Amino acid sequence: MSFYKSKWWKESIGYQIYIKSFKDSNDDGIGDLNGIIEKLDYLKDLGIDFLWICPFYQSPMVDNGYDVSDFFKVDSSFGTIKDFKNLVKEAKKRKMKIIVDLILNQTSDEHIWFIESRKDKENPYRNFYIWEKGREKDEGLTEPTNWASFFGGSVWEYDSKTDEYYMKIFSKHMPDLNWCNPFVRKKMHEVAKFWLDLGVSGFRVDAAAHLGRKKKLVDSKLNNNDKYKKDWRMFSNLKETFIYLDEFNKEVFSKGDILTVGEVGGSATVKEAIKYSGIKKGSLNMVFNFDHCFCNNVYDVKSKDDKIKTNLIGLKRVFNMWHTKTYKKAWQPLYWLNHDHPRLLSQYGNEDEPFLSGSMLAVALYFKGGTPFIYQGEELGMVNYPFKKIEDFNDVSLINHYNHEKEKASFNKEDFIYQEGIRSRDNARTIMSWDNSKYAGFSNVKPWFHLDKNYEKRNVKNALKDKDSLYYFYQKIFKLRKDKRYSKTLIYGKYQQLLKDDEDIYCYLRKEDKEILVVANFFNKNKEIEIKGYKVKDILISNYKKENKNLKSLKLRPYEAIVYLVERDK
Ligand code: NOJ
């Protein structure tokens, strides 16, 4: 396929819905499929073309749906298959598409396959999961390998019934499927086909990088004091994973005009990303990497006195690497955050300047090449939740970490709550702010989780009344991306970074049939810059009223962001 070949998913705007927190239609405090239907017009008006809906399959909800106990059923808290079909139909009426999460790495421990698998070693489902004997000799640990799990502790869980361990790279309630087994692969192809038959237009492939396991399981050689080594390479981006995804593509993905986006963040290099999603040979259309999610000090913050600061040079380096090295080789998704990260304004923006910092961040990202994915509430400037006690959290991963950490002599509970509070995935999972009523217009009963601390002011109802709101700014950006005069450049154009060493300003050019210049001041201060070799033909969007056109001496105000149509200044 040629890079320029027009595909709906290259020219569309996506929106991620964490269904549990989006809109409750039946007053049980939990968001649901019918709630999404109620809000389709809102999303359409924002400029959204497709929705990625987080898992809504039958689940005990240990990890809010990523622990699936039946891939062919909708969890009763979210609705029914009939509701899902209706959602697809209502979306279609509005020329919108639905993509869903495809959870391939694991099931819930309540899935019938696992219930069977753990019964005895001869069970036909035994080989659906990864079972191993413990160590023969006492080597300080009993598990088959010394690998850590993403959610804390060992990657292995002991099961006394058969005196063996099963692998689980996430929670012990989420055993890993054994992808070496062709029957597992065939079953998962059937799952994907089932949802395609119901009308989905694609998949976000969960934990796509982790499907393969080495034939021989050996200890990690990482040399540190951790009992279980956080050596993600042991189960990430292995050659087997590429083989399984290629097969999936051949059997399922390639048969339809669908969007596939794999989650490979945290571990995949650019080279590996191109292997997953290369235009010529990739099995997926694009992959999410996380590199840009960690360009600040949130993981180093120890106490309230440590200020969160963006490392703009680092962020620019990451953006530049991905956008230049993948250009014409692999398509990119554009996203700031998802349901596994803290809120955008609390990380890279300024909670007290939601419009200016929020619009600046939107300009910085959504004028690049790739497919935008907006995360629910981003368009309103929703922020982190002020977590105060351990009971305020919901995330299984955080609670697991807490249970491991609290055993250590050096553990300080207050610091733990503060540190986790600012980086917790739970921040992204708070309730969507629809209006200023008691439960933010989400439900008529108390929601399952916290409301945004600013919901009474910053909500959809107010945003729609204010023509200068962040919501309308986002709408304007998406209109520009689709404007025939600029879309070729904005969607397919080459990316060129300017002012590489400037610590405050992010500046890049997009070049195709036109040249478009993007300037974003990341900080709450004035800054003057000079951009050589170009002059302004037009201003396409700007987040200040009084516009700024002199590129030779561009005086940027706090969080100022401007997009120019430019031409060479000979
Ligand atoms: C990645 C998902 O985004 C995350 O929410 C989940 O906990 C893990 N995969 C396990 O499925």
Side-chain angles (χ1 to χ4, degrees):
M1 194 205 341
S2 133
F3 169 75
Y4 290 104
K5 184 164 176 157
S6 165
K7 281 277 173 193
W8 66 266
W9 45 264
K10 291 183 182 172
E11 293 165 15
S12 295
I13 312 287
Y15 187 97
Q16 183 192 348
I17 292 189
Y18 199 70
I19 180 168
K20 204 169 172 187
S21 305
F22 189 65
K23 175 74 178 86
D24 174 17
S25 72
N26 61 348
D27 288 338
D28 61 358
I30 296 174
D32 47 45
L33 293 169
N34 286 330
I36 300 177
I37 299 178
E38 283 178 26
K39 298 299 178 187
L40 285 175
D41 289 331
Y42 163 76
L43 296 165
K44 182 75 194 170
D45 287 347
L46 176 58
I48 302 304
D49 305 298
F50 70 89
L51 308 178
W52 153 25
I53 306 177
C54 281
F56 48 83
Y57 317 112
Q58 183 181 292
S59 164
M61 299 292 161
V62 168
D63 191 16
N64 291 331
Y66 282 95
D67 48 322
V68 180
S69 56
D70 191 332
F71 290 104
F72 301 101
K73 287 202 180 117
V74 169
D75 194 87
S76 57
S77 62
F78 296 138
T80 61
I81 286 279
K82 199 166 153 240
D83 297 336
F84 184 75
K85 287 186 183 161
N86 198 19
L87 169 63
V88 172
K89 195 172 101 204
E90 288 299 319
K92 204 167 169 195
K93 272 192 205 158
R94 294 162 176 85
K95 297 199 172 48
M96 293 166 88
K97 294 181 173 18
I98 305 290
I99 75 164
V100 297
D101 248 286
L102 188 59
I103 300 154
L104 302 181
N105 175 73
Q106 77 267 349
T107 67
S108 155
D109 58 353
E110 294 183 22
H111 194 292
I112 186 70
W113 301 339
F114 191 70
I115 294 173
E116 286 298 317
S117 183
R118 80 194 316 181
K119 276 186 183 160
D120 61 79
K121 292 183 187 166
E122 271 66 53
N123 191 287
Y125 286 95
R126 184 69 173 178
N127 206 19
F128 265 48
Y129 296 86
I130 305 166
W131 291 96
E132 284 288 326
K133 285 202 212 40
R135 284 171 199 256
E136 311 225 311
K137 281 190 283 167
D138 182 5
E139 292 167 271
L141 39 88
T142 50
E143 293 87 354
T145 66
N146 62 357
W147 309 346
S149 142
F150 287 121
F151 285 7
S154 167
V155 89
W156 298 100
E157 185 68 22
Y158 180 67
D159 204 36
S160 59
K161 190 102 202 264
T162 52
D163 189 27
E164 283 195 339
Y165 289 81
Y166 61 87
M167 199 190 279
K168 43 93 192 168
I169 61 174
F170 298 105
S171 147
K172 67 176 178 188
H173 298 294
M174 299 154 76
D176 294 346
L177 283 164
N178 178 13
W179 274 73
C180 297
N181 181 346
F183 293 109
V184 167
R185 306 205 294 272
K186 200 159 169 284
K187 285 280 177 207
M188 298 316 288
H189 297 165
E190 282 167 19
V191 169
K193 285 180 188 158
F194 174 83
W195 290 98
L196 284 172
D197 287 346
L198 287 183
V200 306
S201 300
F203 301 102
R204 178 263 188 181
V205 185
D206 184 61
H210 308 301
L211 305 183
R213 299 286 183 278
K214 282 196 175 138
K215 284 223 174 63
K216 198 161 174 303
L217 303 175
V218 291
D219 272 346
S220 158
K221 300 261 180 318
L222 278 190
N223 195 6
N224 58 31
N225 289 332
D226 295 344
K227 180 171 177 193
Y228 303 113
K229 312 289 177 203
K230 294 180 181 155
D231 194 351
W232 316 132
R233 290 170 312 165
M234 306 313 277
F235 42 84
S236 303
N237 311 307
L238 301 177
K239 73 172 188 306
E240 292 78 5
T241 298
F242 293 96
I243 297 172
Y244 304 146
L245 287 171
D246 281 344
E247 181 189 52
F248 217 113
N249 185 35
K250 193 165 143 255
E251 296 296 325
V252 188
F253 299 153
S254 62
K255 310 238 162 95
D257 181 19
I258 62 170
L259 179 166
T260 52
V261 51
E263 184 207 28
V264 302
S267 54
T269 60
V270 173
K271 214 165 146 203
E272 284 159 342
I274 295 174
K275 214 166 146 196
Y276 283 113
S277 59
I279 288 168
K280 289 207 185 92
K281 287 205 200 122
S283 46
L284 300 165
N285 298 143
M286 52 190 125
V287 289
F288 286 120
N289 80 80
F290 298 166
D291 288 359
H292 65 278
C293 304
F294 302 113
C295 296
N296 59 20
N297 55 342
V298 285
Y299 284 88
D300 302 321
V301 163
K302 298 275 177 293
S303 73
K304 290 193 174 98
D305 304 327
D306 297 332
K307 287 263 162 296
I308 299 177
K309 173 113 178 23
T310 303
N311 168 7
L312 186 62
I313 294 285
L315 185 64
K316 283 161 48 158
R317 198 180 309 123
V318 163
F319 279 153
N320 192 53
M321 173 175 85
W322 282 92
H323 286 283
T324 53
K325 292 201 171 156
T326 62
Y327 187 57
K328 294 201 176 171
K329 293 196 178 122
W331 199 255
Q332 289 293 296
L334 301 175
Y335 81 109
W336 267 124
L337 78 155
N338 61 29
H339 64 291
D340 292 331
H341 300 276
R343 293 276 177 182
L344 176 59
L345 284 197
S346 315
Q347 280 228 73
Y348 289 134
N350 180 337
E351 293 190 357
D352 302 323
E353 289 290 357
F355 175 78
L356 281 179
S357 70
S359 55
M360 178 279 291
L361 290 166
V363 163
L365 188 71
Y366 298 125
F367 285 91
K368 300 203 278 189
T371 302
F373 286 76
I374 318 311
Y375 182 71
Q376 70 185 39
E378 184 186 324
E379 75 280 21
L380 304 175
M382 285 178 67
V383 295
N384 276 1
Y385 184 75
F387 293 97
K388 295 269 176 331
K389 47 188 193 311
I390 207 74
E391 296 73 29
D392 285 343
F393 295 99
N394 167 269
D395 178 15
V396 54
S397 154
L398 189 145
I399 308 289
N400 277 357
H401 279 293
Y402 172 72
N403 288 333
H404 287 285
E405 290 301 307
K406 73 177 190 209
E407 300 307 325
K408 297 185 180 161
S410 57
F411 182 69
N412 177 317
K413 193 169 175 184
E414 212 178 301
D415 287 350
F416 180 91
I417 292 171
Y418 183 69
Q419 291 159 12
E420 291 303 318
I422 57 172
R423 53 198 181 217
S424 168
R425 314 196 293 176
D426 278 336
N427 287 302
R429 301 170 180 189
T430 52
I431 300 299
M432 178 76 176
S433 308
W434 295 104
D435 62 33
N436 61 359
S437 62
K438 191 165 175 206
Y439 300 122
F442 166 79
S443 179
N444 291 312
V445 301
K446 194 169 184 316
W448 74 278
F449 208 36
H450 313 291
L451 304 179
D452 186 276
K453 67 179 181 200
N454 301 317
Y455 85 91
E456 289 182 3
K457 256 192 355 229
R458 280 182 223 163
N459 55 53
V460 168
K461 196 170 169 202
N462 285 350
L464 294 178
K465 279 195 295 210
D466 173 8
K467 66 177 186 1
D468 293 325
S469 67
L470 189 58
Y471 168 92
Y472 286 118
F473 196 87
Y474 266 73
Q475 189 189 56
K476 204 168 159 196
I477 291 181
F478 303 148
K479 279 194 181 133
L480 272 170
R481 276 189 78 94
K482 290 180 186 162
D483 185 320
K484 289 272 173 298
R485 289 170 294 172
Y486 316 116
S487 59
K488 187 151 185 232
T489 307
L490 291 177
I491 295 170
Y492 297 97
K494 192 171 171 188
Y495 171 91
Q496 186 193 332
Q497 186 181 203
L498 304 181
L499 309 183
K500 174 170 150 272
D501 298 320
D502 194 303
E503 291 178 357
D504 305 310
I505 309 297
Y506 181 39
C507 179
Y508 59 88
L509 273 168
R510 300 296 312 287
K511 300 186 198 181
E512 190 63 44
D513 54 339
K514 304 228 165 41
E515 292 197 81
I516 292 175
L517 174 72
V518 178
V519 183
N521 177 4
F522 260 69
F523 297 101
N524 196 3
K525 61 180 182 193
N526 296 315
K527 172 102 189 208
E528 184 170 345
I529 55 167
E530 180 188 2
I531 297 170
K532 291 187 189 132
Y534 287 91
K535 63 178 182 217
V536 174
K537 279 178 81 179
D538 202 0
I539 293 188
L540 303 185
I541 193 167
S542 145
N543 62 354
Y544 273 84
K545 289 241 160 66
K546 204 159 163 263
E547 288 166 341
N548 214 329
K549 276 192 173 168
N550 181 5
L551 296 182
K552 302 239 159 33
S553 150
L554 194 53
K555 295 190 177 70
L556 295 167
R557 292 156 281 189
Y559 303 113
E560 182 155 13
I562 320 167
V563 180
Y564 300 102
L565 184 66
V566 290
E567 63 187 354
R568 302 256 164 181
D569 191 10
K570 285 162 215 139

